[in-house]
Amino acid sequence: DAGITQSPRHKVTETGTPVTLRCHQTENHRYMYWYRQDPGHGLRLIHYSYGVKDTDKGEVSDGYSVSRSKTEDFLLTLESATSSQTSVYFCAIGMGHGYNSPLHFGNGTRLTVT
Amino acid sequence: SQQGEEDPQALSIQEGENATMNCSYKTSINNLQWYRQNSGRGLVHLILIRSNEREKHSGRLRVTLDTSKKSSSLLITASRAADTASYFCATDPNTNAGKSTFGDGTTLTVKP
């Protein structure tokens, strides 16, 4: 997708290991988001960022941390992966200037914790 | 907590028919957005309607918003097989700006 790249696209990891997912944007947008999507469900917000080093928690932030040291990169870390964190993770960028603007999503990272 | 809920969960129609899906929410909102998700892909933004608007159109899409009933509907006219996807509403609540909440979606199947 234009302007936003998630890596890796797929990852299998073992319970208890740390995992970092990367979201990279090329369009200098201020707002970035991490969501998770579980089968048959919508997206749930994990963390979001409203600028470099400015982040806030979403509704399912336990077990996750984020960092944004550069405008273009938003990293999601699972500090000690658990099987309940098996999911598809989507990064999104806010396309407007405000925090309630339309979101543009990456294609997701499918994470399996065994 | 889930703010938006779509109805029905699944909808199957023939090509050329209209598809209507609904979204209900619980608290006052700044805006409501509809997204489409094709299998294995990220969500794609379709349309945004603000709390002071009642209806918006975009091509074959028509969205209505009734803030008194806390509900919205998405109508896709003259559906095509390519419209087969899951559709989600997302609400941006007044009290939690910036934290858009998604429903579980309506899965639309359009048969050729």
Side-chain angles (χ1 to χ4, degrees), chain B residues 25 29 50-54 65-71:
Chain B
Y25 57 92
I29 59 172
R50 302 193 187 284
S51 59
N52 61 353
E53 297 175 311
R54 292 298 167 258
L65 179 65
D66 186 335
T67 53
S68 66
K69 295 181 180 178
K70 292 186 171 59
S71 68

Side-chain angles (χ1 to χ4, degrees), chain A residues 1 9 33 35 37 40-43 45 48 56-59 90 99-108 110, chain B residues 1-2 30-31 33 35 37 40-45 47-48 50 88 92 96-105:
Chain A
D1 285 271
R9 289 297 313 278
Y33 305 80
Y35 286 87
Q37 184 178 34
H41 293 283
L43 277 69
L45 181 64
Y48 70 103
D56 200 359
K57 297 178 179 180
E59 62 178 305
F90 288 99
Y99 45 69
N100 55 359
S101 55
L103 301 178
H104 177 60
F105 284 83
N107 278 328
R110 184 174 296 276
Chain B
S1 62
Q2 193 160 304
N30 290 314
N31 64 55
Q33 302 179 49
Y35 290 82
Q37 184 180 34
R41 306 279 291 183
L43 279 69
V44 174
H45 181 261
I47 198 164
L48 179 152
R50 302 193 187 284
F88 296 88
D92 186 35
N96 228 353
K99 297 185 178 181
S100 290
T101 305
F102 288 79
D104 285 346

Side-chain angles (χ1 to χ4, degrees), chain A:
Chain A
D1 285 271
I4 184 168
T5 305
Q6 290 186 234
S7 58
R9 289 297 313 278
H10 302 272
K11 186 167 182 68
V12 179
T13 192
E14 294 183 348
T15 298
T17 59
V19 177
T20 295
L21 309 182
R22 180 178 183 242
C23 178
H24 178 77
Q25 62 151 326
T26 59
E27 301 180 357
N28 207 35
H29 290 284
R30 178 182 178 189
Y31 293 90
M32 299 184 75
Y33 305 80
W34 276 108
Y35 286 87
R36 61 177 287 175
Q37 184 178 34
D38 299 298
H41 293 283
L43 277 69
R44 290 182 292 171
L45 181 64
I46 304 172
H47 282 279
Y48 70 103
S49 170
Y50 46 95
V52 173
K53 297 185 180 179
D54 291 325
T55 64
D56 200 359
K57 297 178 179 180
E59 62 178 305
V60 290
S61 60
D62 288 347
Y64 301 95
S65 62
V66 289
S67 67
R68 193 165 177 203
S69 58
K70 299 184 291 184
T71 299
E72 58 265 36
D73 288 325
F74 192 32
L75 304 180
L76 176 71
T77 297
L78 287 65
E79 293 139 10
S80 178
T82 67
S83 58
S84 65
Q85 293 176 311
T86 292
S87 187
V88 181
Y89 291 85
F90 288 99
C91 176
I93 53 179
M95 298 303 291
H97 298 291
Y99 45 69
N100 55 359
S101 55
L103 301 178
H104 177 60
F105 284 83
N107 278 328
T109 294
R110 184 174 296 276
L111 177 68
T112 302
V113 183
T114 61

Side-chain angles (χ1 to χ4, degrees), chain B residues 24-99:
Chain B
S24 60
Y25 57 92
K26 297 174 183 174
T27 62
S28 297
I29 59 172
N30 290 314
N31 64 55
L32 185 145
Q33 302 179 49
W34 284 93
Y35 290 82
R36 183 188 75 234
Q37 184 180 34
N38 291 94
S39 181
R41 306 279 291 183
L43 279 69
V44 174
H45 181 261
L46 296 176
I47 198 164
L48 179 152
I49 187 166
R50 302 193 187 284
S51 59
N52 61 353
E53 297 175 311
R54 292 298 167 258
E55 186 172 313
K56 284 190 81 169
H57 296 256
S58 177
R60 294 184 295 111
L61 305 180
R62 172 178 169 253
V63 169
T64 62
L65 179 65
D66 186 335
T67 53
S68 66
K69 295 181 180 178
K70 292 186 171 59
S71 68
S72 173
S73 67
L74 170 66
L75 168 67
I76 304 174
T77 60
S79 62
R80 306 165 182 168
D83 294 328
T84 294
S86 293
Y87 292 82
F88 296 88
C89 68
T91 53
D92 186 35
N94 282 338
T95 56
N96 228 353
K99 297 185 178 181

